[in-house]
Amino acid sequence: MKSCLSVCAVFGFYLLSLTPALAANANVAAGQAKAAVCAGCHGADGNGGADPLWPKLAGQQSEYIAKQLADFKSGARKDPIMSGMAAPLAPADMKNVGVYFASLQAKPGAAKDAELVKQGEKIYRGGNAKMAVSACMSCHGPSGHGIPPRFPKVSGQNAAYTQKQLLAFKSGTRNNDSEVMTRIAFRMSEQEIKAVSEYMAGLH
Ligand code: HEC
Ligand code: HEC
């Protein structure tokens, strides 16, 4: 009993001393501190703000968030607001901010237009064989939760934001995607983009 106590105590101490080193890789608390300035647009709980063009970040994958911030900073993804917000962040900050937003609970979104949802569901689940548009769920998952580290969560997002991104991929003004989304969106009609965006808003 006595020897177990001392062994456990030593082992416990070893674990305690190890934990901060592991957490230093990507630190939720450090990310939260850096994210104070983000709350005005992305929400105190990460679920977005007053403008539907300000995306929800809660529950988004940490690697995807870090990549987008690096892309905004380098100019690979262009947005006048976000390039300014990302500019002061170091790569470690981007990782920390990513794990912080990933740790927040995503609130479910809601689709409004049942007819659009029906059209959008077909595209999301089956693609569009005629125009060689892949089923969205093959990369973003059947519930839109994405597949880390490359394929982001797209469920529950504001439809207006999703629509804006798909139109930007289609026109090539957003092209930080290794040509995956630009090729897909290029073959989609504006009506299909509107429908699939509405469907994904209610997906959970
Ligand atoms: C003044 C409003 C505003 C502030 C403050 C702001 N953002 Fe943004 N953010 C936006 C807008 C608008 C977009 C969408 C840009 C676009 O349409 O491509 C965006 C997009 C993003 C994205 C991409 C999301 C996705 O799904 O691809 C990330 C990540 C992000 N912001 C992180 C942050 C972080 C981290 C901070 C704080 C350091 C921050 N933002 C502060 C307005 C803001
Ligand atoms: C072959 C895999 C693949 C398929 C199929 C795919 N996507 Fe994507 N999608 C990606 C990748 C990778 C990204 C991230 C690009 C980046 O890093 O900026 C992405 C990003 C997105 C984004 C941006 C998310 C954000 O928060 O800004 C949207 C919206 C999206 N995809 C919708 C769709 C829709 C709708 C379909 C079906 C018509 C689809 N995707 C099919 C791989 C895929």
Side-chain angles (χ1 to χ4, degrees):
M1 182 68 185
K2 197 175 169 201
S3 71
C4 166
L5 271 181
S6 57
V7 168
C8 296
V10 168
F11 188 61
F13 179 74
Y14 172 71
L15 279 183
L16 272 178
S17 59
L18 201 65
T19 315
L22 286 176
N25 278 335
N27 188 320
V28 172
Q32 181 169 18
K34 287 279 172 196
V37 63
C38 324
C41 297
H42 294 290
D45 64 356
N47 279 288
D51 190 326
L53 291 176
W54 299 339
K56 300 179 182 179
L57 301 176
Q60 182 55 277
Q61 287 158 18
S62 58
E63 298 92 339
Y64 172 78
I65 292 177
K67 175 186 181 283
Q68 299 310 307
L69 291 170
D71 286 353
F72 283 128
K73 184 170 177 167
S74 73
R77 178 172 172 184
K78 291 168 196 65
D79 181 74
I81 299 173
M82 278 311 303
S83 59
M85 298 306 306
L89 300 177
D93 299 329
M94 295 173 183
K95 262 194 185 169
N96 292 341
V97 164
V99 291
Y100 167 64
F101 280 114
S103 76
L104 299 178
Q105 188 71 37
K107 286 191 185 148
K112 295 180 194 100
D113 186 319
E115 195 47 46
L116 279 180
V117 167
K118 222 163 72 187
Q119 274 176 41
E121 181 173 21
K122 273 198 199 133
I123 299 162
Y124 190 85
R125 313 200 81 80
N128 173 345
K130 237 191 324 196
M131 298 193 321
V133 171
S134 324
C136 317
M137 76 170 184
S138 61
C139 293
H140 294 288
S143 313
H145 295 169
I147 306 169
R150 277 197 65 211
F151 305 129
K153 168 177 157 65
V154 291
S155 55
Q157 186 56 274
N158 303 327
Y161 168 80
T162 301
Q163 193 177 349
K164 182 186 167 205
Q165 297 312 307
L166 290 171
L167 290 172
F169 283 130
K170 181 177 168 70
S171 68
T173 52
R174 177 173 171 184
N175 58 5
N176 66 324
D177 63 321
S178 313
E179 295 188 10
V180 178
M181 283 309 304
T182 41
R183 282 173 194 225
I184 291 171
F186 181 73
R187 300 199 203 91
M188 295 176 81
S189 70
E190 290 190 11
Q191 175 63 26
E192 286 176 314
I193 284 178
K194 193 171 172 196
V196 83
S197 300
E198 182 73 4
Y199 172 70
M200 287 191 290
L203 193 58
H204 53 83

